[in-house]
Amino acid sequence: MAQRVNYMQQSPELFKKFLDFSMALKNSSIEEKIEDLVSIRASQMNGCGFCLDMHVKQAKINGESELRLYHISIWRESTLFSPRERAALAWTEVLTRLPEHGVPDELYNRVREHLSEQEISDLSFSIMAINAWNRVNVGFTTVPGSSDAAYGLTKAGLS
């Protein structure tokens, strides 16, 4: 598979601004471990090989266990995730695939038990960002692993 369009070269100013937005999320109220889980789960749901590959490697570099990485797609059945992580994953799924009639109050209230209003807001911006990255990389068939050296992902030890 070859990349259709190199969007970084074709739209450098937009790419830089969106990258700046994504980097600003690193200073949000959401911890890195949850950011990794969210990026992986949304990328799984959207079928984005490039982002899934990138964020699994990033999570590994950040100390995530391999078993938990394997369990992200089955987080509901797994005993490896905390209630806070489960809330973040539930919020990720509902915002990634918006229900026809919006987010149910029951789900929001369950998430609110584990995350503050600011955390839900910050998490929502993270979910928006990964979904946008998924869409551009799926649309332009960005090759998984093609930016590993540029993003320092070779140190994950996964190849």
Side-chain angles (χ1 to χ4, degrees):
M1 166 175 42
Q3 186 168 340
R4 292 176 177 154
V5 172
N6 184 328
Y7 59 87
M8 296 174 230
Q9 289 177 352
Q10 296 303 313
S11 304
E13 289 182 36
L14 294 173
F15 170 73
K16 169 119 177 49
K17 287 187 184 298
F18 193 59
L19 186 60
D20 289 345
F21 170 76
S22 295
M23 295 310 289
L25 294 168
K26 301 262 183 232
N27 297 319
S28 81
S29 61
I30 301 300
E31 56 270 28
E32 186 174 62
K33 187 170 281 231
I34 288 181
E35 291 281 355
D36 290 338
L37 296 175
V38 163
S39 294
I40 292 167
R41 184 64 189 128
S43 299
Q44 288 172 336
M45 294 174 69
N46 290 322
C48 184
F50 179 82
C51 292
L52 180 59
D53 178 82
M54 172 185 283
H55 292 290
V56 163
K57 290 171 181 170
Q58 189 63 55
K60 186 81 169 123
I61 290 168
N62 292 339
E64 187 59 78
S65 79
E66 286 189 44
L67 185 58
R68 279 174 42 101
L69 291 173
Y70 301 145
H71 278 227
I72 294 171
S73 64
I74 59 157
W75 66 268
R76 283 182 183 80
E77 294 83 21
S78 177
T79 60
L80 302 178
F81 301 99
S82 71
R84 181 176 171 79
E85 291 168 333
R86 291 174 181 285
L89 288 165
W91 196 245
T92 300
E93 288 186 356
V94 79
L95 291 189
T96 297
R97 294 218 175 106
L98 288 170
E100 184 176 339
H101 299 290
V103 176
D105 288 339
E106 180 274 326
L107 176 61
Y108 173 79
N109 291 333
R110 231 180 332 125
V111 170
R112 185 65 180 89
E113 290 176 18
H114 303 286
L115 299 167
S116 71
E117 288 182 356
Q118 180 185 353
E119 290 169 331
I120 294 172
S121 180
D122 288 355
L123 179 61
S124 297
F125 278 100
S126 292
I127 295 165
M128 289 166 36
I130 190 58
N131 276 285
W133 286 117
N134 288 168
R135 279 149 179 74
V136 73
N137 285 301
V138 168
F140 294 134
T141 62
T142 309
V143 178
S146 61
S147 295
D148 283 4
Y151 293 123
L153 299 174
T154 54
K155 62 185 166 191
L158 301 172
S159 54

